[in-house]
């Protein structure tokens, strides 16, 4: 499946997806990595893996819609069948989502619907929850609000800082995102409204 990835920063989830492709665990072809930021680590990781990259800096466009229109043109040119957000720090607008004729997935570092938006790990610590985690979801027109594909819980420990909790969640993200994408491309993800059924492999019930 021809897949584009959008990332704004470090790109560790991008790296996990690249690695899963290399080991044959993830049947996608990453046809391009786009970013709204110049010179970020995610772009370097893509270049090292030989994946074409493109920068779509919002400041280069008259308005946000023009940036998203350009993203869509790039994806159409590349015949994209799946878009993965991997730390893309902008919310895609309704028009983009409506016009995208491919599924869009995202990973978020909390158990949604708790703590959407920025600094999810800090929000979890500030709230005092004992368990947080991460969520892979289908992107809809809201903020971290689309149907949930997979979630995994991660304990919050008493001595946790934002960094230590983020790191513990990140280790799970790197496993959960490739797994959710794998299920999606194998046709095992069946959304009905908000509820997403995961079809099990034969024999596993
Ligand atoms: C991850 O925590 C992801 O869940 C969130 O943004 C962060 C991106 O990290 N959406 P990285 O760039 O993949 O390292």
């Amino acid at each position: 499946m021809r897949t584009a990835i959008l990332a704004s920063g470090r790109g560790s989830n991008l790296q996990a997806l690249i690695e899963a492709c290399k080991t044959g665990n993830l049947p996608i072809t990453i046809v391009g990595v786009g970013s709204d930021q110049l010179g970020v680590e995610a772009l370097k990781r893509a270049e090292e893996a030989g994946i074409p990259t493109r920068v779509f800096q919002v400041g280069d466009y008259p308005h946000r819609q023009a940036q998203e229109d350009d993203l869509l043109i790039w994806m159409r040119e590349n015949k994209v069948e799946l878009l993965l957000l991997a730390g893309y720090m902008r919310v895609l607008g309704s028009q983009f989502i409506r016009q995208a004729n491919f599924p869009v997935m995202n990973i978020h570092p909390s158990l949604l619907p708790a703590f959407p938006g920025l600094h999810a790990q800090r929000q979890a610590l500030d709230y005092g929850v004992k368990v947080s985690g991460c969520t892979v979801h289908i992107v809809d027109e809201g903020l971290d609000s689309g149907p949930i594909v997979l979630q995994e819980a991660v304990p919050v420990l008493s001595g946790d800082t934002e960094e230590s909790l983020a790191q513990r969640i990140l280790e799970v993200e790197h496993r959960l995102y490739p797994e959710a994408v794998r299920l999606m491309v194998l046709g095992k993800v069946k959304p009905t409204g908000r509820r997403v059924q995961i079809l099990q492999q034969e024999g596993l019930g």
Side-chain angles (χ1 to χ4, degrees):
M1 193 173 271
R2 296 176 65 82
T3 303
I5 299 180
L6 292 180
S8 300
R10 178 179 54 189
S12 70
N13 277 287
L14 166 68
Q15 192 71 50
L17 293 162
I18 292 171
E19 298 306 327
C21 289
K22 279 191 194 156
T23 57
N25 286 332
L26 189 55
I28 61 172
T29 303
I30 304 173
V31 294
V33 170
S35 182
D36 58 332
Q37 303 290 329
L38 261 179
V40 288
E41 209 181 328
L43 292 169
K44 291 180 195 136
R45 292 177 192 265
E47 280 156 19
E48 270 166 32
I51 300 166
T53 60
R54 181 106 169 245
V55 176
F56 301 84
Q57 275 186 297
V58 173
D60 292 342
Y61 297 89
H63 45 75
R64 165 187 135 159
Q65 190 57 51
Q67 187 249 12
E68 295 192 354
D69 290 346
D70 212 16
L71 277 174
L72 208 49
I73 290 168
W74 176 67
M75 288 174 200
R76 290 205 174 118
E77 280 171 0
N78 282 284
K79 300 188 170 43
V80 165
E81 298 167 291
L82 175 67
L83 170 60
L84 304 177
L85 307 183
Y88 185 62
M89 301 305 283
R90 307 189 64 82
V91 178
L92 292 167
S94 299
Q95 193 169 314
F96 180 96
I97 296 299
R98 282 199 301 267
Q99 288 180 352
N101 58 344
F102 41 78
V104 184
M105 298 173 81
N106 181 41
I107 185 152
H108 183 78
S110 74
L111 292 177
L112 291 170
F115 315 129
L118 293 175
H119 309 300
Q121 304 92 335
R122 190 189 307 164
Q123 292 185 56
L125 283 176
D126 289 349
Y127 197 93
V129 293
K130 303 293 186 196
V131 175
S132 191
C134 51
T135 303
V136 179
H137 65 95
I138 296 167
V139 174
D140 66 6
E141 294 176 33
L143 174 65
D144 298 324
S145 60
I148 291 169
V149 179
L150 290 181
Q151 287 188 303
E152 191 166 317
V154 172
V156 180
L157 306 180
S158 57
D160 262 337
T161 60
E162 191 180 345
E163 292 70 31
S164 65
L165 178 59
Q167 184 53 38
R168 195 175 315 110
I169 294 173
L170 201 59
E171 284 164 24
V172 178
E173 292 184 41
H174 295 164
R175 178 165 43 73
L176 201 70
Y177 206 7
E179 174 60 9
V181 176
R182 195 179 69 84
L183 291 167
M184 182 70 128
V185 301
L186 294 181
K188 292 180 183 296
V189 172
K190 296 285 168 207
T192 310
R194 280 217 58 85
R195 296 181 72 170
V196 176
Q197 191 189 356
I198 304 293
L199 304 179
Q200 300 294 329
Q201 282 175 318
E202 267 176 51
L204 293 178

